[in-house]
Amino acid sequence: MRIPAHSVCTAIRDDIVAGVHERGGRLTEEVLARRYGVSRVPVREALRTLEAEGFVVTRRHAGACVAEPTEQEAADLLEMRVLLEPLGASRAAQRRTEAHLKVLRGLVRLGQERARQGNSDDLRSLSGWFHETLAQATGSPALTSALTQLRHKIAWMYAVEGPADPVEYWAEHGAIVDAVARGDGDRARSVTALHTERASAGHRLRFAHGAGRADRVRNSQHAVNMPSGRH
């Protein structure tokens, strides 16, 4: 699988999230370079970035390995998201562009249509694009990066059940966009807080203390540079 060198980090991260590279497994530069069709230099750089993000750890005598987060670390991520997603929506209400609004409104229309049709696969993908666009609309590279990393890590650590009422779920997305479009930061914050708390209830930890490797997600492929749809 040959990919552009600048996309190596995304590809490795996506494969970690998908379970292709198992928790605790070694990440050998030579093997990764061969897998992604690149030299070892971009692989080495990608591993440094992923270590800074918390997906990779360097162990003595073993080198780079996939991190093994604890249950407490996983729980902390959901709590962080409940705090940061509303902040992001509030900032988006103040800083969004017309281009952001156009994309958000289009995603809501598609999401509501697919929800009525019961197309859950499309809904996951659309939800991923929605939250990525909302993060970009914050106008803050630091906040956008934090929200993006949170989504990746949560997708890695949790399986997510679909919403009990997809139509209502996408109505909440619509309410967020309405508040952002009006520039109402307080309303955007409160609606997003409620939406995020409800969504968090559908998350189920992929691993537990003492769980075996057979219980882990594996052998899945993610397209390079595609957002995760698990929200």
Side-chain angles (χ1 to χ4, degrees):
M1 178 176 66
R2 179 170 291 277
I3 64 173
H6 69 269
S7 298
V8 173
C9 184
T10 299
I12 297 174
R13 185 193 299 110
D14 285 352
D15 279 346
I16 289 174
V17 170
V20 175
H21 304 304
E22 295 183 332
R23 296 173 65 249
R26 292 187 63 187
L27 296 169
T28 307
E29 289 181 12
E30 182 178 356
V31 173
L32 293 174
R34 187 165 56 249
R35 172 180 175 81
Y36 300 112
V38 296
S39 71
R40 294 174 64 172
V41 173
V43 169
R44 189 175 305 123
E45 294 173 350
L47 292 176
R48 292 194 190 108
T49 298
L50 293 171
E51 183 168 17
E53 293 179 357
F55 289 95
V56 171
V57 296
T58 300
R59 291 178 177 155
R60 189 177 181 182
H61 305 310
C65 300
V66 179
E68 297 184 87
T70 65
E71 293 181 35
Q72 183 60 63
E73 289 170 333
D76 287 345
L77 291 177
L78 289 184
E79 187 172 355
M80 289 168 63
R81 185 180 180 186
V82 169
L83 295 173
L84 287 182
E85 288 278 4
L87 173 62
S90 177
R91 291 294 182 269
Q94 300 164 1
R95 303 170 180 172
R96 87 292 184 278
T97 65
E98 288 302 317
H100 290 134
L101 286 178
K102 182 177 180 179
V103 174
L104 289 169
R105 285 168 171 156
L107 289 169
V108 168
R109 283 195 298 271
L110 282 173
Q112 290 174 336
E113 178 184 328
R114 297 296 191 273
R116 289 191 292 269
Q117 295 171 350
N119 193 327
S120 59
D121 289 337
D122 279 357
L123 288 178
R124 284 191 289 269
S125 179
L126 289 170
S127 183
W129 283 116
F130 177 89
H131 286 282
E132 179 172 307
T133 304
L134 190 62
Q136 292 171 351
T138 65
S140 167
L143 185 53
T144 299
S145 177
L147 288 168
T148 299
Q149 286 189 36
L150 271 176
R151 287 196 303 276
H152 285 313
K153 288 184 178 179
I154 289 170
W156 174 34
M157 299 183 197
Y158 290 91
V160 183
E161 299 173 357
D165 186 347
V167 173
E168 175 61 24
Y169 181 82
W170 277 91
E172 292 174 5
H173 279 161
I176 293 170
V177 176
D178 288 343
V180 169
R182 292 197 306 269
D184 189 341
D186 290 340
R187 172 66 175 168
R189 184 191 294 267
S190 63
V191 173
T192 304
L194 180 61
H195 173 75
T196 306
E197 288 174 0
R198 288 176 175 172
S200 294
H203 289 64
R204 298 291 178 267
L205 200 62
R206 292 184 185 277
F207 61 90
H209 183 68
R213 287 178 179 260
D215 296 326
R216 298 170 188 159
V217 180
R218 66 182 68 190
N219 298 328
S220 175
Q221 294 285 345
H222 275 216
V224 175
N225 289 333
M226 290 296 289
S228 172
R230 299 181 179 96
H231 289 276

